Amino acid sequence: MVSLPKIRYFTRKEISHHNMPDDLWVSFMGRVYDLTDLCNREKGNVLLKPILDVGGTDISHWFDKVNRDVRRYVDPETHCLIPYCPNGRFLHIPPPYPDSSWANDFGCPWWKNENFQVGFLSQKTCRINIVNSLTSQEQIIEVCSEEQIQDILERYLPYNAHAASYTWKYQGKNLDMVKTLEENGIKDFDEEFYQLRMDDNTYLQTIHLYFNDDLTVA
């Protein structure tokens, strides 16, 4: 049986860290793209600059929500339909006027190339408090609402390499590691806090870890 590739979700903060030419990510229309290879391949190309300028950010406003293609508008001078480029013309966008030097043999434009996609942008993130009952250490981490508990475990590994050797519990009940926080009954109170004008940092949902005896190998 062929296993499907794992769906990965990213927070806006995670994407923002990838903002350099040798490590450049962007997000748009709910998806996350790693354009590092594109930047390396087109290094020195002036049409790369608008993309470099938006590294680590969301550029959904560049694209049409219906067809996921670059937005277009009617040029007031030529009355022609041309691509919308708020940061200036970028890679794989044709010139506004006929140009014999324009080469359109690049194949699939980068924004339609699924090989660049590395995951999805989380539609909602939240912060949770993870308490290690063995050491009494606490760690607050930002997670994606779409993630299963086992994905959150992976996020927690930098703080505890043996996290898989613990039973994860919420209010005394074992968590189902292949379900999300919500599916495990862990509610997100951000909206309620907003309506009550409360600081959402005053109360965080807490997950407790209970050590099992069988340490995993780091």
Side-chain angles (χ1 to χ4, degrees):
M1 181 177 180
V2 179
S3 59
L4 297 175
K6 182 179 179 180
I7 297 177
R8 294 194 61 188
Y9 290 92
F10 298 93
T11 67
R12 291 183 184 273
K13 184 176 181 180
E14 286 179 304
I15 297 169
S16 70
H17 294 158
H18 302 272
N19 57 11
M20 302 300 290
D22 59 350
D23 180 22
L24 191 141
W25 290 17
V26 295
S27 63
F28 58 90
M29 313 306 272
R31 301 181 182 184
V32 180
Y33 295 81
D34 181 355
L35 302 181
T36 305
D37 287 344
L38 179 71
C39 293
N40 291 335
R41 190 164 65 238
E42 299 291 342
K43 189 174 182 179
N45 190 330
V46 67
L47 296 182
L48 184 63
K49 186 178 185 303
I51 297 174
L52 297 177
D53 290 342
V54 296
T57 69
D58 186 84
I59 55 173
S60 294
H61 60 289
W62 288 15
F63 303 92
D64 187 290
K65 293 181 179 179
V66 177
N67 59 24
R68 302 184 64 85
D69 205 348
V70 175
R71 291 173 59 189
R72 298 176 183 275
Y73 72 102
V74 176
D75 187 295
E77 295 183 2
T78 65
H79 302 291
C80 294
L81 197 63
I82 63 174
Y84 170 69
C85 303
N87 292 57
R89 181 175 160 228
F90 52 86
L91 281 173
H92 302 165
I93 292 292
Y97 307 104
D99 188 340
S100 60
S101 65
W102 165 246
N104 61 356
D105 57 352
F106 49 78
C108 180
W110 62 263
W111 59 89
K112 291 185 176 181
N113 192 335
E114 295 185 357
N115 291 328
F116 292 136
Q117 185 179 340
V118 293
F120 294 87
L121 176 65
S122 175
Q123 297 302 301
K124 180 70 172 68
T125 66
C126 64
R127 301 201 311 155
I128 60 172
N129 185 34
I130 299 179
V131 179
N132 186 331
S133 61
L134 181 66
T135 63
S136 298
Q137 292 179 324
E138 298 187 25
Q139 188 65 48
I140 298 174
I141 62 175
E142 182 182 19
V143 302
C144 303
S145 60
E146 301 89 348
E147 291 179 319
Q148 299 175 347
I149 302 300
Q150 61 186 9
D151 300 317
I152 296 175
L153 184 154
E154 292 182 13
R155 287 185 178 275
Y156 180 66
L157 286 175
Y159 308 102
N160 183 349
H162 300 292
S165 289
Y166 290 74
T167 296
W168 289 52
K169 294 190 176 186
Y170 173 71
Q171 295 184 347
K173 296 182 179 179
N174 290 7
L175 295 178
D176 188 328
M177 303 302 284
V178 296
K179 290 185 177 181
T180 64
L181 291 171
E182 184 177 2
E183 290 169 342
N184 272 289
I186 305 177
K187 291 187 61 178
D188 183 347
F189 292 104
D190 282 0
E191 184 60 31
E192 286 86 344
F193 286 158
Y194 175 76
Q195 294 177 358
L196 296 172
R197 295 179 172 83
M198 293 175 57
D199 181 3
D200 57 9
N201 291 321
T202 59
Y203 175 77
L204 295 176
Q205 297 283 38
T206 299
I207 293 176
H208 288 85
L209 308 189
Y210 293 88
F211 181 60
N212 294 329
D213 290 328
D214 54 332
L215 272 179
T216 55
V217 179

